[in-house]
PDB file of all heavy atoms in Angstrom:
ATOM      1  N   ALA A   1     -16.372   0.369 -17.339  1.00 96.00           N
ATOM      2  CA  ALA A   1     -15.706  -0.815 -16.794  1.00 96.00           C
ATOM      3  C   ALA A   1     -14.315  -0.490 -16.269  1.00 96.00           C
ATOM      4  O   ALA A   1     -13.902  -1.013 -15.218  1.00 96.00           O
ATOM      5  CB  ALA A   1     -15.632  -1.907 -17.857  1.00 96.00           C
ATOM      6  N   ILE A   2     -13.572   0.371 -16.972  1.00 98.00           N
ATOM      7  CA  ILE A   2     -12.200   0.649 -16.559  1.00 98.00           C
ATOM      8  C   ILE A   2     -12.161   1.294 -15.178  1.00 98.00           C
ATOM      9  O   ILE A   2     -11.247   1.039 -14.385  1.00 98.00           O
ATOM     10  CB  ILE A   2     -11.460   1.530 -17.603  1.00 98.00           C
ATOM     11  CG1 ILE A   2      -9.971   1.569 -17.309  1.00 98.00           C
ATOM     12  CG2 ILE A   2     -12.068   2.916 -17.678  1.00 98.00           C
ATOM     13  CD1 ILE A   2      -9.267   0.243 -17.403  1.00 98.00           C
ATOM     14  N   GLU A   3     -13.173   2.103 -14.844  1.00 97.00           N
ATOM     15  CA  GLU A   3     -13.201   2.731 -13.533  1.00 97.00           C
ATOM     16  C   GLU A   3     -13.479   1.696 -12.440  1.00 97.00           C
ATOM     17  O   GLU A   3     -12.863   1.729 -11.363  1.00 97.00           O
ATOM     18  CB  GLU A   3     -14.256   3.840 -13.495  1.00 97.00           C
ATOM     19  CG  GLU A   3     -13.913   5.028 -14.379  1.00 97.00           C
ATOM     20  CD  GLU A   3     -14.849   6.203 -14.163  1.00 97.00           C
ATOM     21  OE1 GLU A   3     -15.656   6.162 -13.199  1.00 97.00           O
ATOM     22  OE2 GLU A   3     -14.785   7.168 -14.944  1.00 97.00           O
ATOM     23  N   LEU A   4     -14.389   0.783 -12.709  1.00 97.00           N
ATOM     24  CA  LEU A   4     -14.694  -0.262 -11.730  1.00 97.00           C
ATOM     25  C   LEU A   4     -13.489  -1.168 -11.513  1.00 97.00           C
ATOM     26  O   LEU A   4     -13.239  -1.630 -10.398  1.00 97.00           O
ATOM     27  CB  LEU A   4     -15.889  -1.084 -12.202  1.00 97.00           C
ATOM     28  CG  LEU A   4     -17.224  -0.335 -12.346  1.00 97.00           C
ATOM     29  CD1 LEU A   4     -18.287  -1.260 -12.923  1.00 97.00           C
ATOM     30  CD2 LEU A   4     -17.681   0.236 -11.010  1.00 97.00           C
ATOM     31  N   LEU A   5     -12.743  -1.438 -12.572  1.00 98.00           N
ATOM     32  CA  LEU A   5     -11.585  -2.321 -12.471  1.00 98.00           C
ATOM     33  C   LEU A   5     -10.405  -1.635 -11.778  1.00 98.00           C
ATOM     34  O   LEU A   5      -9.796  -2.204 -10.866  1.00 98.00           O
ATOM     35  CB  LEU A   5     -11.167  -2.786 -13.871  1.00 98.00           C
ATOM     36  CG  LEU A   5     -12.106  -3.783 -14.545  1.00 98.00           C
ATOM     37  CD1 LEU A   5     -11.807  -3.878 -16.035  1.00 98.00           C
ATOM     38  CD2 LEU A   5     -11.992  -5.152 -13.896  1.00 98.00           C
ATOM     39  N   VAL A   6     -10.081  -0.434 -12.201  1.00 98.00           N
ATOM     40  CA  VAL A   6      -8.942   0.275 -11.602  1.00 98.00           C
ATOM     41  C   VAL A   6      -9.268   0.678 -10.166  1.00 98.00           C
ATOM     42  O   VAL A   6      -8.460   0.510  -9.251  1.00 98.00           O
ATOM     43  CB  VAL A   6      -8.558   1.501 -12.453  1.00 98.00           C
ATOM     44  CG1 VAL A   6      -7.488   2.340 -11.749  1.00 98.00           C
ATOM     45  CG2 VAL A   6      -8.042   1.050 -13.814  1.00 98.00           C
ATOM     46  N   GLY A   7     -10.454   1.260  -9.980  1.00 98.00           N
ATOM     47  CA  GLY A   7     -10.940   1.514  -8.629  1.00 98.00           C
ATOM     48  C   GLY A   7     -10.169   2.525  -7.818  1.00 98.00           C
ATOM     49  O   GLY A   7     -10.243   2.521  -6.587  1.00 98.00           O
ATOM     50  N   ASP A   8      -9.458   3.436  -8.474  1.00 98.00           N
ATOM     51  CA  ASP A   8      -8.581   4.376  -7.770  1.00 98.00           C
ATOM     52  C   ASP A   8      -8.426   5.616  -8.641  1.00 98.00           C
ATOM     53  O   ASP A   8      -7.947   5.531  -9.774  1.00 98.00           O
ATOM     54  CB  ASP A   8      -7.231   3.708  -7.515  1.00 98.00           C
ATOM     55  CG  ASP A   8      -6.248   4.590  -6.747  1.00 98.00           C
ATOM     56  OD1 ASP A   8      -6.131   5.782  -7.066  1.00 98.00           O
ATOM     57  OD2 ASP A   8      -5.566   4.080  -5.848  1.00 98.00           O
ATOM     58  N   ARG A   9      -8.833   6.783  -8.134  1.00 98.00           N
ATOM     59  CA  ARG A   9      -8.786   8.021  -8.915  1.00 98.00           C
ATOM     60  C   ARG A   9      -7.369   8.373  -9.357  1.00 98.00           C
ATOM     61  O   ARG A   9      -7.152   8.854 -10.467  1.00 98.00           O
ATOM     62  CB  ARG A   9      -9.376   9.169  -8.082  1.00 98.00           C
ATOM     63  CG  ARG A   9     -10.880   9.186  -8.016  1.00 98.00           C
ATOM     64  CD  ARG A   9     -11.495   9.518  -9.360  1.00 98.00           C
ATOM     65  NE  ARG A   9     -12.944   9.366  -9.368  1.00 98.00           N
ATOM     66  CZ  ARG A   9     -13.673   9.308 -10.461  1.00 98.00           C
ATOM     67  NH1 ARG A   9     -13.072   9.360 -11.648  1.00 98.00           N
ATOM     68  NH2 ARG A   9     -14.974   9.170 -10.406  1.00 98.00           N
ATOM     69  N   PHE A  10      -6.390   8.155  -8.490  1.00 98.00           N
ATOM     70  CA  PHE A  10      -5.007   8.512  -8.818  1.00 98.00           C
ATOM     71  C   PHE A  10      -4.497   7.680  -9.995  1.00 98.00           C
ATOM     72  O   PHE A  10      -3.852   8.199 -10.915  1.00 98.00           O
ATOM     73  CB  PHE A  10      -4.116   8.311  -7.593  1.00 98.00           C
ATOM     74  CG  PHE A  10      -2.783   8.994  -7.678  1.00 98.00           C
ATOM     75  CD1 PHE A  10      -2.674  10.366  -7.522  1.00 98.00           C
ATOM     76  CD2 PHE A  10      -1.625   8.264  -7.921  1.00 98.00           C
ATOM     77  CE1 PHE A  10      -1.442  11.003  -7.597  1.00 98.00           C
ATOM     78  CE2 PHE A  10      -0.386   8.882  -8.000  1.00 98.00           C
ATOM     79  CZ  PHE A  10      -0.297  10.263  -7.840  1.00 98.00           C
ATOM     80  N   LEU A  11      -4.809   6.384  -9.994  1.00 98.00           N
ATOM     81  CA  LEU A  11      -4.386   5.518 -11.095  1.00 98.00           C
ATOM     82  C   LEU A  11      -5.150   5.838 -12.380  1.00 98.00           C
ATOM     83  O   LEU A  11      -4.595   5.753 -13.482  1.00 98.00           O
ATOM     84  CB  LEU A  11      -4.586   4.048 -10.719  1.00 98.00           C
ATOM     85  CG  LEU A  11      -3.768   3.541  -9.535  1.00 98.00           C
ATOM     86  CD1 LEU A  11      -4.046   2.054  -9.295  1.00 98.00           C
ATOM     87  CD2 LEU A  11      -2.272   3.770  -9.749  1.00 98.00           C
ATOM     88  N   LEU A  12      -6.405   6.233 -12.253  1.00 98.00           N
ATOM     89  CA  LEU A  12      -7.176   6.635 -13.431  1.00 98.00           C
ATOM     90  C   LEU A  12      -6.593   7.907 -14.048  1.00 98.00           C
ATOM     91  O   LEU A  12      -6.569   8.066 -15.274  1.00 98.00           O
ATOM     92  CB  LEU A  12      -8.641   6.841 -13.061  1.00 98.00           C
ATOM     93  CG  LEU A  12      -9.426   5.555 -12.760  1.00 98.00           C
ATOM     94  CD1 LEU A  12     -10.780   5.881 -12.119  1.00 98.00           C
ATOM     95  CD2 LEU A  12      -9.628   4.736 -14.025  1.00 98.00           C
ATOM     96  N   GLU A  13      -6.102   8.802 -13.192  1.00 98.00           N
ATOM     97  CA  GLU A  13      -5.443  10.011 -13.701  1.00 98.00           C
ATOM     98  C   GLU A  13      -4.187   9.645 -14.490  1.00 98.00           C
ATOM     99  O   GLU A  13      -3.879  10.259 -15.518  1.00 98.00           O
ATOM    100  CB  GLU A  13      -5.097  10.943 -12.548  1.00 98.00           C
ATOM    101  CG  GLU A  13      -6.311  11.601 -11.905  1.00 98.00           C
ATOM    102  CD  GLU A  13      -5.954  12.372 -10.640  1.00 98.00           C
ATOM    103  OE1 GLU A  13      -4.772  12.346 -10.224  1.00 98.00           O
ATOM    104  OE2 GLU A  13      -6.864  13.001 -10.074  1.00 98.00           O
ATOM    105  N   TYR A  14      -3.456   8.641 -14.017  1.00 98.00           N
ATOM    106  CA  TYR A  14      -2.272   8.178 -14.754  1.00 98.00           C
ATOM    107  C   TYR A  14      -2.664   7.685 -16.141  1.00 98.00           C
ATOM    108  O   TYR A  14      -2.015   8.015 -17.141  1.00 98.00           O
ATOM    109  CB  TYR A  14      -1.573   7.074 -13.974  1.00 98.00           C
ATOM    110  CG  TYR A  14      -0.459   6.392 -14.746  1.00 98.00           C
ATOM    111  CD1 TYR A  14       0.792   6.997 -14.868  1.00 98.00           C
ATOM    112  CD2 TYR A  14      -0.659   5.163 -15.366  1.00 98.00           C
ATOM    113  CE1 TYR A  14       1.813   6.390 -15.585  1.00 98.00           C
ATOM    114  CE2 TYR A  14       0.349   4.541 -16.074  1.00 98.00           C
ATOM    115  CZ  TYR A  14       1.581   5.158 -16.190  1.00 98.00           C
ATOM    116  OH  TYR A  14       2.594   4.552 -16.913  1.00 98.00           O
ATOM    117  N   LEU A  15      -3.727   6.921 -16.233  1.00 98.00           N
ATOM    118  CA  LEU A  15      -4.171   6.425 -17.536  1.00 98.00           C
ATOM    119  C   LEU A  15      -4.531   7.572 -18.476  1.00 98.00           C
ATOM    120  O   LEU A  15      -4.402   7.446 -19.697  1.00 98.00           O
ATOM    121  CB  LEU A  15      -5.382   5.503 -17.368  1.00 98.00           C
ATOM    122  CG  LEU A  15      -5.127   4.138 -16.727  1.00 98.00           C
ATOM    123  CD1 LEU A  15      -6.437   3.371 -16.601  1.00 98.00           C
ATOM    124  CD2 LEU A  15      -4.134   3.327 -17.556  1.00 98.00           C
ATOM    125  N   ASN A  16      -4.971   8.676 -17.901  1.00 96.00           N
ATOM    126  CA  ASN A  16      -5.362   9.833 -18.711  1.00 96.00           C
ATOM    127  C   ASN A  16      -4.229  10.830 -18.923  1.00 96.00           C
ATOM    128  O   ASN A  16      -4.466  11.962 -19.338  1.00 96.00           O
ATOM    129  CB  ASN A  16      -6.568  10.525 -18.066  1.00 96.00           C
ATOM    130  CG  ASN A  16      -7.826   9.687 -18.198  1.00 96.00           C
ATOM    131  OD1 ASN A  16      -8.075   9.073 -19.229  1.00 96.00           O
ATOM    132  ND2 ASN A  16      -8.626   9.644 -17.137  1.00 96.00           N
ATOM    133  N   GLY A  17      -2.986  10.401 -18.634  1.00 96.00           N
ATOM    134  CA  GLY A  17      -1.838  11.221 -18.994  1.00 96.00           C
ATOM    135  C   GLY A  17      -1.194  12.000 -17.872  1.00 96.00           C
ATOM    136  O   GLY A  17      -0.194  12.688 -18.096  1.00 96.00           O
ATOM    137  N   ARG A  18      -1.738  11.916 -16.669  1.00 97.00           N
ATOM    138  CA  ARG A  18      -1.140  12.633 -15.544  1.00 97.00           C
ATOM    139  C   ARG A  18      -0.212  11.710 -14.759  1.00 97.00           C
ATOM    140  O   ARG A  18      -0.327  10.490 -14.812  1.00 97.00           O
ATOM    141  CB  ARG A  18      -2.233  13.168 -14.623  1.00 97.00           C
ATOM    142  CG  ARG A  18      -3.111  14.251 -15.254  1.00 97.00           C
ATOM    143  CD  ARG A  18      -4.137  14.757 -14.262  1.00 97.00           C
ATOM    144  NE  ARG A  18      -3.498  15.330 -13.069  1.00 97.00           N
ATOM    145  CZ  ARG A  18      -4.182  15.733 -11.998  1.00 97.00           C
ATOM    146  NH1 ARG A  18      -5.507  15.610 -11.973  1.00 97.00           N
ATOM    147  NH2 ARG A  18      -3.550  16.245 -10.947  1.00 97.00           N
ATOM    148  N   HIS A  19       0.745  12.290 -14.049  1.00 97.00           N
ATOM    149  CA  HIS A  19       1.675  11.572 -13.179  1.00 97.00           C
ATOM    150  C   HIS A  19       2.701  10.770 -13.995  1.00 97.00           C
ATOM    151  O   HIS A  19       2.406  10.239 -15.053  1.00 97.00           O
ATOM    152  CB  HIS A  19       0.955  10.630 -12.204  1.00 97.00           C
ATOM    153  CG  HIS A  19      -0.216  11.244 -11.516  1.00 97.00           C
ATOM    154  ND1 HIS A  19      -0.115  12.405 -10.790  1.00 97.00           N
ATOM    155  CD2 HIS A  19      -1.522  10.852 -11.449  1.00 97.00           C
ATOM    156  CE1 HIS A  19      -1.310  12.709 -10.292  1.00 97.00           C
ATOM    157  NE2 HIS A  19      -2.171  11.795 -10.682  1.00 97.00           N
ATOM    158  N   SER A  20       3.900  10.705 -13.467  1.00 97.00           N
ATOM    159  CA  SER A  20       4.989   9.981 -14.123  1.00 97.00           C
ATOM    160  C   SER A  20       4.987   8.519 -13.715  1.00 97.00           C
ATOM    161  O   SER A  20       4.355   8.130 -12.727  1.00 97.00           O
ATOM    162  CB  SER A  20       6.327  10.612 -13.741  1.00 97.00           C
ATOM    163  OG  SER A  20       6.593  10.403 -12.355  1.00 97.00           O
ATOM    164  N   ASP A  21       5.732   7.713 -14.471  1.00 98.00           N
ATOM    165  CA  ASP A  21       5.886   6.305 -14.113  1.00 98.00           C
ATOM    166  C   ASP A  21       6.481   6.172 -12.714  1.00 98.00           C
ATOM    167  O   ASP A  21       6.045   5.327 -11.916  1.00 98.00           O
ATOM    168  CB  ASP A  21       6.800   5.599 -15.120  1.00 98.00           C
ATOM    169  CG  ASP A  21       6.140   5.400 -16.470  1.00 98.00           C
ATOM    170  OD1 ASP A  21       4.956   5.774 -16.620  1.00 98.00           O
ATOM    171  OD2 ASP A  21       6.811   4.875 -17.381  1.00 98.00           O
ATOM    172  N   THR A  22       7.466   7.002 -12.418  1.00 98.00           N
ATOM    173  CA  THR A  22       8.122   6.944 -11.108  1.00 98.00           C
ATOM    174  C   THR A  22       7.139   7.237  -9.985  1.00 98.00           C
ATOM    175  O   THR A  22       7.127   6.551  -8.950  1.00 98.00           O
ATOM    176  CB  THR A  22       9.290   7.945 -11.051  1.00 98.00           C
ATOM    177  OG1 THR A  22      10.243   7.621 -12.071  1.00 98.00           O
ATOM    178  CG2 THR A  22       9.965   7.913  -9.695  1.00 98.00           C
ATOM    179  N   THR A  23       6.310   8.262 -10.189  1.00 98.00           N
ATOM    180  CA  THR A  23       5.314   8.617  -9.175  1.00 98.00           C
ATOM    181  C   THR A  23       4.349   7.459  -8.926  1.00 98.00           C
ATOM    182  O   THR A  23       4.013   7.145  -7.775  1.00 98.00           O
ATOM    183  CB  THR A  23       4.530   9.863  -9.613  1.00 98.00           C
ATOM    184  OG1 THR A  23       5.426  10.962  -9.745  1.00 98.00           O
ATOM    185  CG2 THR A  23       3.440  10.211  -8.609  1.00 98.00           C
ATOM    186  N   ILE A  24       3.922   6.816 -10.014  1.00 98.00           N
ATOM    187  CA  ILE A  24       2.982   5.706  -9.880  1.00 98.00           C
ATOM    188  C   ILE A  24       3.631   4.519  -9.178  1.00 98.00           C
ATOM    189  O   ILE A  24       3.025   3.875  -8.310  1.00 98.00           O
ATOM    190  CB  ILE A  24       2.432   5.291 -11.257  1.00 98.00           C
ATOM    191  CG1 ILE A  24       1.489   6.365 -11.787  1.00 98.00           C
ATOM    192  CG2 ILE A  24       1.728   3.946 -11.194  1.00 98.00           C
ATOM    193  CD1 ILE A  24       0.255   6.594 -10.905  1.00 98.00           C
TER     194      ILE A  24
END
């Protein structure tokens, strides 16, 4: 469900610990 809701690989990577708050 979380993938269908977020719908964006880059944002899913953020949820999994990648990318900074500023980058997002």
Side-chain angles (χ1 to χ4, degrees):
I2 192 63
E3 293 189 9
L4 297 176
L5 289 165
V6 173
D8 182 316
R9 282 292 172 195
F10 196 75
L11 297 181
L12 288 168
E13 290 172 357
Y14 172 79
L15 289 178
N16 289 320
R18 294 182 60 186
H19 314 304
S20 67
D21 288 358
T22 300
T23 298
I24 289 298

